[in-house]
Structures are given as structure tokens and as C-alpha cells.
């Protein structure tokens, strides 16, 4: 269940379903759509149960018994003097490309009775980008949407040019009736007459299978990583780590690696981002690295496989650039959105290099660094060329009017702003990306020395890193504020909003020790630290809004990076304070950290206020407690 609504969410094997309190699906759109989803499309948009002609009463509303299974208890209408003749026990389960439902009808009467069961079904095959676009219509010329009866149920079929998606519904026993539904051309109502002996029962089994365009006949599943037996969860941090690892498992999807192998990679989050994301998957893998190094290896291979080769202004592809996100839906296929493979991220490429070295540093295994040497060198080349280091002295991006205006982790419009709230204009150099670039150069130089045996290359990267560090201290530091600028805009002006991005500079090491400690202490002042977490933007500034996505909310993963930086610079009290706030927030959410928290102060409410459109589960939030544990071990 997400903070924004009361629907139950079931997840397994890159597939998820969202149902209401009765277990039904109504075809909602907007910020909290329901349905059965796979590969960026909704494969079931209506699933409505009636018994004896009316919607049943939920005695026990649908509840997620496990991450992939929900149970509810329903009855036909009744009264005190004429109680329901039978009870319906409804179990729903999600697995790879599949929703199964088991209805068990149990008679409450001493004489035989017949139950009339109907389920109205439809599949709209809507793209996720359609569902969340309140004011955008996408044309679909030539699209054909049909439904057909089968021996044991229904086939929904959707075609558009070379695109072909299907959903099948199979029932056991087969339906005894099939009727059209009045509201949509493809909706159908399946019906059964189920005899119940005195105090007897009857069972109805239904299986819905999604067959998206491009999915192999044998649906690949991501091998679930072996999770070593965790220590008893005897404290809140341990419980949050345990929940986080379980959520990472839920979000793990199969992705093709650089040599054609299937890699188990953490997707970004549900409902909008159950796909490979460069930045999200990289940081999640980094947080998990001491505990699950195989996740980092899989992520690096998958991202190497999608590394940019050519220049494409629509997708932002450039040689050596690491992808921002991949999409499999209809709109991406027909390039109605740019996100099939979208490269609009300034930070994914240096983070790829950071993780590659960190994997070697953690495991001592040279094989991956050898295997991906040319990919790493191409990533470095991108930083100097299209990335902007040679031309601008910094990693920069131009806002993409057809994609992402901002291409750092705060990628919403307006997030990179001055203190008056004005969005910076490009080319934009955000501060944290310079820290990542510095760290990437240092780490890749170390790989060049230790693994690739290329000392001249290592020397070149060390020199470039040192020069970047010197420039950064001069150009980004704001003496009056005693704090780094959020960014430099296209005119070289300091974008002067006080933002949490500065905390990432402690992690990357681009600041010297004195300035790093000064920044770390400043981030714990009340305008930044809410008591639960560090806000994305310090309160009191004109653009601050506690319910803004990136201008006043608080993100657990952002705080995890900061805490790792605090620990790096010996700020033990500050690191523990932020950790305690985050874990206290997790305890209020069943030990599952949400993607985002509202920025309200802890003194204002007894529990953290949820951000209304937060993904849950979300990968880097799930991995955050592991990063916090690592940071505490550094102190």
C-alpha cells in the first residue's frame, strides 16, 4: 500500500498488481493507477467481481499477506434476519507476467444453494506514461483493440503496426456464460453457476497472463540473490535493513548484460520506474556493495550493454555515455516519448566509474575491471568531450525541452534554482556531479595503475582530478554563505540556493577536510535537518516547499550519501543523528523507507508526513539502511 491511496500492491518478478479493498481493479489513472502491469503497460484494467448480481461486502478487506499475495473475505448482501448464504474467500497472487485468483465459496446454510458469480474483465494496454499524464493525449493511428472468447476464458488482443500485446484469462471451471459489458467495446463478463452442498464449498480458479510486445515466450525471471541469514532483527536498524533487502529482491528484474547474459539488476521503483535506471541502479548497487557485490557486477554489465555509441539528439545518446533509463512500452517503441533508451543524466557516467572501482576495491576481483576496461575508458572520454570537462571545465548539461529539464538526481523542473526560485539556464554544472567526476577520475586512475597497467593514463587522470578540485573550490564556494553553490549556470553565475547536494561533496572527497566539516555541520542546522532527515532545500528560502518533489522534501537515499560523507570526514555525531532520524521514520512505515518524505519538522507531527506521490518500494530507499550501517561501521 502506498501513502497516497488505500489500494493493495502485489509485486514479484518484474510484475505488479494494484487492487482495491475488495480485490477489484477499476481502471483508475493519475498518480495511483490500479491494474496488472508489466513492461511499462497495463495488461488488466478491469477486474470486477459480483455475487448474486451485486458487489460483495468486504468483511475483511484485501490485505497483503506477503509481498505477492493478498487475501480478502467477502459475502453477498444479507441482513441480521437473513444472513448471507455463503462466504467468499478471495486469494490473489502475482508472479512473472501472471495474476492468479482463487475464489473459495463456502456455504453457510444447511441446504443446497447455487451461487451466481460474475467477473467483468477488460485490458486497455495503456502505457504508463499515458496513465500518469493528466493533460496529454497520445495518438495511436491504426491501433486495433479486440477481445475474443476462448474455451476457458478470454483473449484480449492489441495491435498497432508492428506492435502486438495480449492478455489471456483462463478459468477452471470454464465459464458457463459470456456477455458483453455495456461501457467499453472490449469488456466482457464471465459468469458461473456454482452449486454448493449443505455447508459445502466450491472453488473457482482464474489465471491472467500478460504477453507484452517483445517478451520472450519463456518469461525470464531474475535469479533472486542469495541473502545470507541475517542476524536477528533486534533493533530498528536491523529490521529496516532486513525489509530493505527484501524490497531490493522484489525490485530485481532480468536485464541483458554486456556479453548477452541475463543480469539480476535492481529496478528503480514501483509504480512508475520498474525498469533499469542508470543513476538509481548504480547508487543502489553501491549501497549494497559490502553485502551483495554481485548486484554491482550485474548493474555494471547491464549498463555497459546499453552504453552510448552514437549521437542522437532525441534520446541524448552520446558515445560513452551511460543510459539514464530504458523503457519497453508502446510510446517508447514508436518514439512518442524519448525514453526507450534515454541518456539525459549528467551523473550516471561518473557513477558507473565510481562503482566499477568500488567493486574491485571491495572484492579484490580484477575480472570485472578487466572485462569492462574499454567501457570505462569510453566513459572517461565522454566526461572530457560531450560531458563538458574540456570545454567548460565541469560536467554540464543542457536542459532538454522534450525530456528532462534537469539531468542530475533532482531532475524535476525548477529543482536547480536560485534563492529567488528561478530555474538555472544551461549549460548547467551541478555541484554534486563535479564531485562524482572528481571521484571517478581518481578511482579510474587507480584501476589504470593496479589492473590495466597503464601508468601514463593514470597520471593524466590524477592531474585532471587535481585541476578539477582546485577549480571547484574557487568557482563553487560561496564565502558569505560558507557553503557551496548548488550549481553554476550557463553564464558562470553561482546558483545560490542552499541545497542538500552539497552533502554529496563530502562523499566524493572533492572538498578539503576543513570545508567538508563546515558543510557537514551546516547540514545539521534546523533549516536543513527536519529531525527525520536532511531536506533537499533549506527551509526559509523563497522556493522552499515541504511537499515539493525536490525543493523541500527529504529523500532517504540523498541522506544516505550524505551520511557516508559525514562518516568519511569523522563527523560521528552528525552521522548518528541523521541515521537515528531516518530509522525512526522507517519504524513508522513498517521499517520500509519510502522514496520521499515531506519536509515538515519532526516537532510538528508525531510521525513523518508522507510525500503523496512517493514510490514504494523504491530501490535506493530500500538500500539506504545498508549504507547507514556501513557508515556507522566507519566511525
Amino acid at each position: 500500500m502506498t501513502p497516497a491511496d488505500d489500494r493493495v500492491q502485489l509485486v514479484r518478478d518484474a510484475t505488479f498488481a494494484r487492487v482495491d479493498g475488495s480485490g477489484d481493479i477499476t481502471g483508475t489513472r493519475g498518480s495511483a493507477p490500479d491494474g496488472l502491469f508489466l513492461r511499462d503497460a497495463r495488461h488488466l484494467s478491469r477486474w470486477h467481481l459480483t455475487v448474486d448480481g451485486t458487489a460483495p461486502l468486504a468483511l475483511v478487506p484485501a490485505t497483503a499477506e506477503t509481498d505477492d499475495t493478498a487475501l480478502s473475505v467477502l459475502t453477498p448482501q444479507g441482513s441480521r434476519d437473513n444472513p448471507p448464504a455463503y462466504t467468499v474467500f478471495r486469494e490473489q497472487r502475482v508472479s512473472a507476467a501472471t495474476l492468479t485468483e482463487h475464489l473459495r465459496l463456502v456455504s453457510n446454510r444447511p441446504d443446497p444453494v447455487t451461487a451466481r458469480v460474475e467477473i467483468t474483465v477488460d485490458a486497455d494496454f495503456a502505457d504508463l506514461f499515458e496513465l500518469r499524464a493528466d493533460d496529454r493525449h497520445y495518438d495511436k493511428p491504426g491501433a486495433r483493440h479486440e477481445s475474443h472468447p476462448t474455451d476457458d476464458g478470454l483473449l484480449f488482443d492489441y495491435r498497432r503496426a508492428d506492435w502486438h500485446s495480449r492478455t489471456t484469462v483462463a478459468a477452471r471451471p470454464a465459464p458457463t456464460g459470456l456477455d458483453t459489458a455495456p461501457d467499453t467495446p472490449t469488456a466482457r463478463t464471465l459468469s458461473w453457476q456454482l452449486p454448493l452442498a449443505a455447508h459445502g464449498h466450491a472453488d473457482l480458479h482464474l489465471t491472467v497472463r500478460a504477453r507484452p510486445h517483445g517478451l520472450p515466450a519463456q518469461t525470464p525471471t531474475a535469479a533472486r540473490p542469495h541473502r545470507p541469514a541475517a542476524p536477528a532483527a533486534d533493533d530498528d536498524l536491523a529490521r529496516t535493513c532486513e525489509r530493505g533487502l527484501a524490497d531490493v529482491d522484489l525490485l530485481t528484474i532480468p536485464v541483458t548484460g554486456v556479453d548477452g547474459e541475463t543480469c539480476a539488476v535492481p529496478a528503480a521503483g514501483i509504480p512508475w520506474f520498474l525498469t533499469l535506471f542508470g543513476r538509481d541502479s548504480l547508487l543502489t548497487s553501491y549501497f549494497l556493495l559490502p553485502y551483495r557485490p554481485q548486484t554491482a557486477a550485474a548493474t555494471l554489465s547491464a549498463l555497459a550493454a546499453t552504453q552510448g555509441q552514437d549521437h542522437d539528439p532525441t534520446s541524448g545518446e552520446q558515445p560513452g555515455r551511460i543510459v539514464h533509463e530504458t523503457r519497453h512500452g508502446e510510446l517508447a517503441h514508436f518514439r512518442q516519448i524519448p525514453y526507450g533508451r534515454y541518456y539525459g543524466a549528467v551523473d550516471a557516467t561518473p557513477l558507473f566509474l565510481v562503482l566499477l572501482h568500488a567493486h574491485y576495491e571491495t572484492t579484490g576481483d580484477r575480472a570485472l575491471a578487466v572485462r569492462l576496461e574499454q567501457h570505462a575508458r569510453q566513459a572517461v572520454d565522454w566526461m572530457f568531450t560531450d560531458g563538458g570537462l574540456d570545454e567548460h571545465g565541469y560536467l554540464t548539461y543542457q536542459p532538454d525541452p522534450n525530456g528532462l529539464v534537469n539531468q542530475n538526481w533532482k531532475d524535476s523542473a525548477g529543482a536547480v534554482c536560485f534563492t529567488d526560485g528561478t530555474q538555472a539556464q544551461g549549460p548547467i554544472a551541478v555541484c554534486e556531479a563535479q564531485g562524482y567526476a572528481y571521484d571517478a577520475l581518481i578511482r579510474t586512475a587507480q584501476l589504470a595503475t593496479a589492473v590495466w597497467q597503464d601508468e601514463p593514463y593514470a597520471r593524466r587522470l590524477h592531474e585532471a582530478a587535481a585541476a578539477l578540485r582546485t577549480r571547484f573550490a574557487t568557482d563553487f564556494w560561496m564565502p558569505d554563505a560558507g557553503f557551496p553553490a548548488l550549481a553554476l549556470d550557463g553564464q558562470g553565475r553561482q546558483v545560490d540556493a542552499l541545497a542538500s547536494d552539497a552533502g554529496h561533496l563530502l562523499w566524493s572527497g572533492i572538498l578539503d577536510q576543513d570545508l567538508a566539516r563546515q558543510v557537514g555541520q551546516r547540514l545539521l542546522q534546523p533549516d536543513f535537518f527536519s529531525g527525520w532527515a536532511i531536506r533537499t532545500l533549506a527551509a526559509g528560502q523563497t522556493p522552499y516547499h515541504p511537499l515539493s518533489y525536490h525543493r523541500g522534501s527529504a529523500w532517504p537515499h540523498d541522506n544516505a550519501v550524505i551520511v557516508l560523507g559525514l562518516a568519511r570526514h569523522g563527523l560521528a555525531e552528525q552521522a548518528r543523528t541523521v541515521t537515528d532520524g531516518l530509522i525512526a521514520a522507517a519504524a513508522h512505515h513498517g521499517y520500509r523507507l519510502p522514496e520521499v518524505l515531506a519536509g515538515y519538522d519532526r516537532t510538528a507531527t508525531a510521525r513523518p508526513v508522507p510525500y503523496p506521490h512517493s514510490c514504494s518500494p523504491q530501490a535506493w530507499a530500500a538500500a539506504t539502511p545498508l549504507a547507514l550501517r556501513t557508515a556507522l561501521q566507519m566511525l
Side-chain angles (χ1 to χ4, degrees):
M1 185 178 300
T2 64
D5 70 315
D6 60 357
R7 288 178 178 81
V8 176
Q9 182 168 277
L10 308 176
V11 189
R12 183 64 64 195
D13 295 329
T15 307
F16 70 96
R18 305 184 78 243
V19 300
D20 68 14
S22 295
D24 284 354
I25 293 167
T26 60
T28 57
R29 304 170 77 92
S31 63
D34 60 357
L36 174 67
F37 298 88
L38 178 64
R39 288 174 69 89
D40 298 327
R42 179 161 66 183
H43 281 263
L44 192 63
S45 56
R46 192 167 178 190
W47 188 253
H48 179 59
L49 171 69
T50 63
V51 289
D52 294 341
T54 61
L57 173 69
L59 298 182
V60 178
T63 303
E65 297 295 304
T66 63
D67 293 312
D68 57 13
T69 304
L71 300 176
S72 54
V73 181
L74 314 170
T75 65
Q77 300 295 323
S79 66
R80 183 176 63 181
D81 296 328
N82 186 24
Y86 55 89
T87 303
V88 182
F89 295 86
R90 189 177 201 180
E91 179 184 84
Q92 296 169 303
R93 176 175 285 116
V94 162
S95 58
T98 304
L99 170 68
T100 57
E101 177 157 326
H102 176 201
L103 296 173
R104 169 160 284 195
L105 286 71
V106 178
S107 172
N108 302 320
R109 295 176 59 90
D111 51 332
V113 64
T114 297
R116 180 162 58 95
V117 176
E118 295 180 334
I119 296 180
T120 301
V121 191
D122 202 3
D124 63 5
F125 299 99
D127 191 288
L128 276 177
F129 282 84
E130 291 179 90
L131 294 177
R132 69 174 179 175
D134 296 328
D135 56 355
R136 179 78 183 270
H137 171 74
Y138 294 93
D139 290 329
K140 298 184 175 183
R144 289 190 297 125
H145 188 186
E146 301 171 343
S147 59
H148 304 282
T150 62
D151 290 343
D152 57 0
L154 285 168
L155 165 67
F156 294 91
D157 191 87
Y158 179 76
R159 295 174 186 267
R160 177 186 169 195
D162 63 340
W163 183 270
H164 186 200
S165 290
R166 293 166 294 155
T167 298
T168 61
V169 180
R172 179 168 51 88
T176 54
L178 174 63
D179 297 298
T180 59
D183 44 359
T184 62
T186 54
R188 297 291 183 269
T189 298
L190 306 173
S191 59
W192 296 261
Q193 299 286 336
L194 298 177
L196 299 174
H199 294 296
H201 71 270
D203 293 287
L204 176 57
H205 297 270
L206 300 117
T207 302
V208 181
R209 297 192 191 279
R211 288 290 176 258
H213 179 83
L215 190 72
Q218 292 295 321
T219 305
T221 58
R224 295 177 193 168
H226 171 65
R227 190 157 83 232
D234 55 358
D235 59 56
D236 286 348
L237 175 57
R239 293 185 185 98
T240 309
C241 287
E242 187 174 50
R243 178 68 258 179
L245 287 172
D247 282 345
V248 170
D249 286 348
L250 290 178
L251 292 167
T252 297
I253 60 173
V255 179
T256 301
V258 70
D259 294 321
E261 78 279 17
T262 297
C263 297
V265 173
I270 293 173
W272 305 117
F273 308 117
L274 194 61
T275 187
L276 175 67
F277 264 69
R279 176 192 309 120
D280 299 56
S281 299
L282 286 162
L283 279 176
T284 298
S285 299
Y286 185 91
F287 292 170
L288 295 173
L289 190 54
Y291 314 96
R292 287 189 178 178
Q294 71 274 21
T295 301
T299 296
L300 289 163
S301 180
L303 291 173
T306 55
Q307 189 172 24
Q309 301 297 318
D310 302 306
H311 285 93
D312 181 344
T314 301
S315 68
E317 181 181 4
Q318 295 163 343
R321 195 177 196 182
I322 295 300
V323 75
H324 170 62
E325 67 181 283
T326 62
R327 291 290 181 174
H328 305 285
E330 176 187 359
L331 298 182
H333 177 79
F334 290 106
R335 303 201 77 173
Q336 292 174 275
I337 56 173
Y339 304 113
R341 279 191 186 177
Y342 184 63
Y343 290 81
V346 73
D347 49 7
T349 307
L351 288 172
F352 175 86
L353 295 167
V354 168
L355 184 62
L356 181 61
H357 172 268
H359 179 271
Y360 165 69
E361 183 180 48
T362 299
T363 66
D365 184 357
R366 301 159 51 96
L368 187 66
V370 170
R371 181 183 176 206
L372 300 183
E373 177 183 354
Q374 295 308 312
H375 297 275
R377 288 177 182 264
Q378 291 166 22
V380 170
D381 289 345
W382 176 85
M383 291 202 300
F384 283 105
T385 56
D386 291 310
L389 283 180
D390 281 342
E391 181 179 357
H392 302 290
Y394 296 109
L395 288 188
T396 61
Y397 63 87
Q398 283 283 5
D400 180 356
N402 298 312
L404 295 174
V405 172
N406 288 309
Q407 298 187 3
N408 61 328
W409 84 262
K410 293 179 178 176
D411 57 7
S412 60
V416 180
C417 60
F418 292 86
T419 53
D420 66 359
T422 304
Q423 164 70 37
Q425 299 302 308
I428 299 170
V430 287
C431 70
E432 77 273 16
Q434 316 319 316
Y436 303 159
Y438 169 79
D439 197 20
L441 291 169
I442 293 292
R443 288 175 177 271
T444 308
Q446 292 172 359
L447 286 178
T449 297
V451 179
W452 305 333
Q453 307 299 310
D454 189 343
E455 195 57 43
Y457 188 63
R459 213 164 29 247
R460 176 197 166 203
L461 299 188
H462 275 301
E463 290 169 358
L468 173 58
R469 195 172 197 245
T470 300
R471 285 195 304 276
F472 184 88
T474 300
D475 295 343
F476 276 79
W477 189 257
M478 301 186 295
D480 292 345
F483 205 74
L486 170 57
L488 302 180
D489 74 358
Q491 300 177 38
R493 297 180 301 171
Q494 292 180 335
V495 180
D496 57 353
L498 303 184
S500 63
D501 308 54
H504 292 222
L505 306 175
L506 280 64
W507 174 59
S508 63
I510 196 171
L511 294 178
D512 66 33
Q513 177 75 352
D514 290 343
L515 293 183
R517 290 179 65 87
Q518 183 174 331
V519 170
Q521 291 162 354
R522 179 66 184 83
L523 289 169
L524 269 291
Q525 295 302 305
D527 58 345
F528 263 119
F529 185 61
S530 71
W532 303 111
I534 294 168
R535 300 178 178 96
T536 48
L537 207 65
Q541 301 176 95
T542 297
Y544 170 77
H545 190 307
L547 291 174
S548 169
Y549 199 48
H550 290 127
R551 304 208 311 187
S553 59
W555 290 61
H557 92 276
D558 183 31
N559 280 252
V561 174
I562 294 170
V563 170
L564 288 168
L566 294 170
R568 173 175 182 163
H569 292 280
L571 293 167
E573 179 183 351
Q574 289 82 356
R576 291 191 178 100
T577 296
V578 178
T579 296
D580 289 346
L582 284 168
I583 299 307
H588 285 288
H589 289 87
Y591 301 101
R592 170 183 279 169
L593 279 168
E595 177 190 25
V596 199
L597 298 168
Y600 296 108
D601 195 85
R602 189 171 180 175
T603 60
T605 57
R607 55 186 296 132
V609 176
Y611 177 79
H613 309 297
S614 179
C615 286
S616 182
Q618 205 266 357
W620 56 16
T624 284
L626 283 304
L628 299 178
R629 171 174 279 174
T630 299
L632 294 180
Q633 292 169 351
M634 294 165 60
L635 298 175

